Amino acid sequence: MPTALITGITGQDGSYLAEFLLAKGYRVVGLVRRSSTTPYERIAHLVDRVELLSADLLDQTSLVDVMDAVAPDEIYNLAAQSFVATSWTQPVLTGEFTALGVTRMLEAMKRAAPKARFYQASSSEMFGKVTETPQRESTPFYPRSPYGVAKVYGHWITVNYRESFGLYAVSGILFNHESPRRGLEFVTRKVTDAVARIKVGHAREVVLGTLTARRDWGYAGDYVDAMWRMLQQDEPGDFVIGTGHTWSVQQLCEVAFAHAGLDWKDHVKVDPKFMRPAEVDLLVADPSKARSQMQWEPTVDFHGLVRMMVDADLARHGAVG
């Protein structure tokens, strides 16, 4: 039974990855921060099947101790301050978790589990003000937020530890991936939750920033499969993961509201306060390397993803889709 250690197991990706690995017969150990509360909503159905250990990406000793105790075969570093808007109000904290936290994880691995295989969650936000479209593994990075900058650091420190110390360490450059478990602060979930609340009469409108920004949106459940496949390759390497298709925030609204029998124009308002100081206008992946080398393909398209999220939020709010 192989052992996988997951940081960020209580998040969207961590919960799907834990499910995926359990189904493959893994022993799954989740690293969680010590807290007076237990925010385990996304893994409530898994807590009896996984092991949860306390450690912190800001505390090097705790990471070394956990890796020494667990002896993982695979390490998935999904923990981060992951919301772009928050990175503008808490840029130093974002750097500590999302950038330096990766170094601490790699250093702990080098000391306590050097034979393990390490996955780093990189991000399409690293491309930022894109220099070519679509974006592939060789596309230069041009981050446009403290979050994007921190992810670039995390990406390159992973490359450096791989090349300097011979570690099996890879980065998945994942484009936007969503699900019913997505946090309410992210635009996809903000929209689908608003659709449900409007449908049941608990709200009348949703206020957004730009409607013209375009993203490559996929399903988180598909993307954790790609994470696992990266660690099964003979040689470590980095991969862009996305659908290869791009959609605007307005198109997101159109599909989501229409699925509930509503007209988005009646309910969507724009407020400049929700716009980023430096906007990222267009992100779209070229996942051809993942397709050819890992035989990875997304199974849920954009329309199916949005309908899945709207249906889940309608059910949560007691409406009939």
Side-chain angles (χ1 to χ4, degrees), residues 121-280:
S122 287
S123 168
S124 60
E125 287 288 332
M126 300 189 305
F127 296 122
K129 188 176 180 179
V130 298
T131 58
E132 65 177 0
T133 298
Q135 293 86 53
R136 54 185 63 87
E137 290 79 8
S138 59
T139 301
F141 300 138
Y142 195 146
R144 298 271 281 172
S145 67
Y147 171 78
V149 172
K151 281 293 187 183
V152 170
Y153 177 99
H155 179 89
W156 281 117
I157 200 66
T158 302
V159 171
N160 272 258
Y161 269 67
R162 176 172 74 219
E163 296 179 349
S164 300
F165 303 115
L167 300 180
Y168 192 111
V170 307
S171 288
I173 307 173
L174 270 57
F175 281 64
N176 294 65
H177 46 289
E178 320 296 319
S179 76
R181 300 179 194 172
R182 189 56 139 158
L184 289 167
E185 69 272 23
F186 291 87
V187 67
T188 48
R189 187 71 193 290
K190 183 177 181 179
V191 168
T192 63
D193 180 68
V195 167
R197 289 186 293 109
I198 291 167
K199 185 70 174 179
V200 299
H202 294 166
R204 299 183 62 182
E205 65 182 30
V206 59
V207 183
L208 304 174
T210 179
L211 299 181
T212 58
R214 303 181 68 86
R215 294 292 184 271
D216 184 330
W217 277 301
Y219 172 51
D222 287 336
Y223 287 40
V224 299
D225 176 25
M227 296 176 190
W228 175 78
R229 288 176 188 242
M230 286 182 217
L231 295 192
Q232 314 313 310
Q233 304 303 299
D234 291 337
E235 298 294 331
D238 305 323
F239 289 86
V240 161
I241 303 299
T243 70
H245 302 283
T246 183
W247 306 87
S248 68
V249 176
Q250 179 174 317
Q251 288 173 307
L252 165 68
C253 293
E254 291 171 358
V255 175
F257 278 89
H259 187 55
L262 301 169
D263 186 339
W264 72 277
K265 297 190 190 72
D266 296 333
H267 305 286
V268 175
K269 309 298 180 186
V270 173
D271 189 328
K273 76 177 182 180
F274 289 106
M275 295 182 182
R276 301 179 182 181
E279 186 56 69
V280 175

Side-chain angles (χ1 to χ4, degrees), residues 7 25 65 92 163 265 275 281 320:
T7 73
D65 289 347
V92 176
E163 296 179 349
K265 297 190 190 72
M275 295 182 182
D281 298 317
V320 177

